[in-house]
Amino acid sequence: MNKIILLSKRPVGKPTLGDFKFITEEIPVAKDGEILLKTIYVSVDPYLRGRMNDSKSYVPPFELNKPIQSSIIAEIVESNLSGFFRKGDFVIGNLDWKEYQISNGKGLKKVDESESPLSTYLGILGMTGLTAYLGLTEIGLPKAGETIVVSGAAGAVGTVVGQIGKLLGCKVVGITGSDEKVELLKSKFRFDQAINYKTSTDLKEAISKACPNGIDIYFDNVGGDISDAVLSNINKYARLPVCGAISLYNDTEIALGPRLQPIILTKSATMRGFIVSDFYEKFPAAIKQLTIWLKEDHLTNTETIIDGFNNIPQAFLDLFEGKNEGKMIVKI
Ligand code: NDP
């Protein structure tokens, strides 16, 4: 039988396992012009939380009692589609949380296991790697010698932002949620300094100490109190790519923080939100650069791989508990 995961309730606040439902059906058969896909790797991402709300955003909300979708690497196990897609090929696409599914090939891209391990196409050579590279270079505009602070530093986007910052000659300070992650950032990813926001009694002061020359770029993955503490330390002409706000995704009311206008004004700072697809036309060049850095060991890839289809919802929930280092992926 084929397993499928549906969104059964719209979460209120932090999502729970009760918001998901498992069902089974017969494994479908590919007709003429169709391929049968077997799910191999499933990406779980913080932005899926937004799609669980019934509200308008840059992607439409998931429908209740329909399968959840995310980026998936799948193997073509049957092909009745002539030409491009052959049995045994691997593809990536925005697909349903199903063990097996039918596709007509639309929206799918082939990925080559001999070029790079399949899971990397969901992370460092995929959406999160592109987000880090393009958000930092297009909005952060780093120059050698400048100081970059990145929040959510030990995650999929954060680890890549920090490493690229170092490659471009910047000083990099990461903010993350455990002492183990602080050590990992400094030892494995060559961050100059890292701060545990959960144990820091005065985050503003800790950031100021870690950045004696102030902050030129703040790559914001989390928003909220952490970002308030960073913003009080920015330099004149600072650039602030607003990539994510995970600390606020489960809020049921809009939090009131400090008013930012005086800081942005007096520091002549630029704060710019972005969705990675804003830079769509730059994807090929960015992937080329990331691939070179990865092959030449200038970038280290880190993934947290969870085993088993049944564990997809829990892996998603664990993103909000900081249980991942690097890209969170479920292997089927
Ligand atoms: P991560 O791999 O960074 O996983 C999420 C991490 O967020 C957790 O490991 C945890 O780390 C941290 N976190 C969870 N809850 C909180 C909290 N309340 N306060 C502070 N940190 C928290 O995810 P991604 O790298 O995939 O994504 C990072 C951010 O970038 C997200 O906000 C995401 O929505 C955004 N994003 C935006 C894109 C765009 O196009 N703009 C594209 C891709 C991602 P810790 O242990 O450090 O707390």
Side-chain angles (χ1 to χ4, degrees):
M1 292 296 277
N2 191 19
K3 281 192 212 160
I4 300 168
I5 303 172
L6 313 177
L7 180 68
S8 65
K9 276 193 253 138
R10 300 214 180 271
V12 179
K14 219 175 238 191
T16 66
L17 288 179
D19 299 325
F20 303 89
K21 189 169 149 194
F22 284 78
I23 59 163
T24 54
E25 64 173 23
E26 293 292 328
I27 294 173
V29 178
K31 299 196 209 77
D32 239 18
E34 292 182 337
I35 48 181
L36 177 64
L37 299 173
K38 179 176 190 276
T39 298
I40 307 288
Y41 287 109
V42 177
S43 175
V44 288
D45 300 273
Y47 84 92
L48 299 174
R49 175 65 187 86
R51 292 196 69 187
M52 293 174 180
N53 296 335
D54 189 14
S55 53
K56 250 187 158 174
S57 186
Y58 63 98
V59 268
F62 292 124
E63 284 179 57
L64 278 182
N65 297 312
K66 292 271 171 67
I68 295 179
Q69 294 172 340
S70 67
S71 246
I72 284 177
I73 305 275
E75 183 183 352
I76 300 176
V77 288
E78 221 180 292
S79 179
N80 294 324
L81 199 56
S82 52
F84 191 62
F85 292 113
R86 288 183 307 262
K87 188 174 168 173
D89 285 346
F90 293 100
V91 293
I92 185 170
N94 196 41
L95 294 166
D96 290 345
W97 284 5
K98 294 180 174 181
E99 281 182 310
Y100 291 89
Q101 59 199 291
I102 295 290
S103 166
N104 60 8
K106 217 175 137 207
L108 298 181
K109 225 178 82 185
K110 271 207 242 187
V111 286
D112 188 350
E113 197 177 17
S114 66
E115 278 293 311
S116 187
L118 289 175
S119 58
T120 59
Y121 296 103
L122 293 176
I124 198 160
L125 297 182
M127 196 255 287
T128 54
L130 286 166
T131 302
Y133 178 76
L134 292 166
L136 182 63
T137 55
E138 296 292 322
I139 302 176
L141 306 173
K143 292 192 277 297
E146 289 191 324
T147 300
I148 301 174
V149 170
V150 53
S151 54
V157 174
T159 48
V160 181
V161 168
Q163 293 184 83
I164 296 176
K166 290 304 295 172
L167 283 171
L168 300 178
C170 296
K171 174 180 168 152
V172 175
V173 175
I175 303 177
T176 187
S178 75
D179 289 344
E180 292 73 32
K181 289 185 182 181
V182 163
E183 279 320 304
L184 185 83
L185 290 176
K186 292 196 284 190
S187 55
K188 192 166 178 185
F189 297 110
R190 304 185 291 276
F191 281 50
D192 296 281
Q193 300 235 28
I195 298 166
N196 179 347
Y197 70 89
K198 286 188 181 158
T199 54
S200 175
T201 47
D202 185 344
L203 191 56
K204 193 169 145 186
E205 178 60 23
I207 295 167
S208 161
K209 251 174 125 176
C211 306
N213 299 325
I215 297 162
D216 302 295
I217 298 165
Y218 173 45
F219 195 105
D220 190 358
N221 280 316
V222 304
D225 294 341
I226 294 171
S227 300
D228 294 344
V230 177
L231 257 72
S232 55
N233 286 294
I234 59 171
N235 287 337
K236 183 128 178 142
Y237 303 122
R239 285 86 65 201
L240 316 169
V242 179
C243 173
I246 191 167
S247 78
L248 308 174
Y249 291 170
N250 293 322
D251 282 2
T252 48
E253 283 170 25
I254 296 174
L256 186 65
R259 307 288 190 186
L260 298 180
Q261 290 86 345
I263 303 178
I264 302 295
L265 167 70
T266 56
K267 298 294 183 183
S268 305
T270 305
M271 189 173 196
R272 180 177 158 194
F274 72 101
I275 302 299
V276 65
S277 53
D278 297 347
F279 301 110
Y280 185 73
E281 75 285 359
K282 305 207 177 218
F283 282 9
I287 290 287
K288 202 168 158 195
Q289 180 61 77
L290 289 164
T291 306
I292 292 170
W293 277 335
L294 193 61
K295 279 199 171 147
E296 292 179 352
D297 286 334
H298 294 305
L299 281 180
T300 299
N301 183 37
T302 294
E303 297 162 341
T304 300
I305 307 256
I306 306 297
D307 261 316
F309 187 83
N310 292 354
N311 291 322
I312 299 173
Q314 187 61 52
F316 168 70
L317 301 184
D318 285 349
L319 290 170
F320 297 93
E321 307 299 333
K323 296 212 175 138
N324 60 308
E325 284 168 2
K327 182 76 192 93
M328 184 75 117
I329 292 170
V330 182
K331 184 170 192 267
I332 311 304

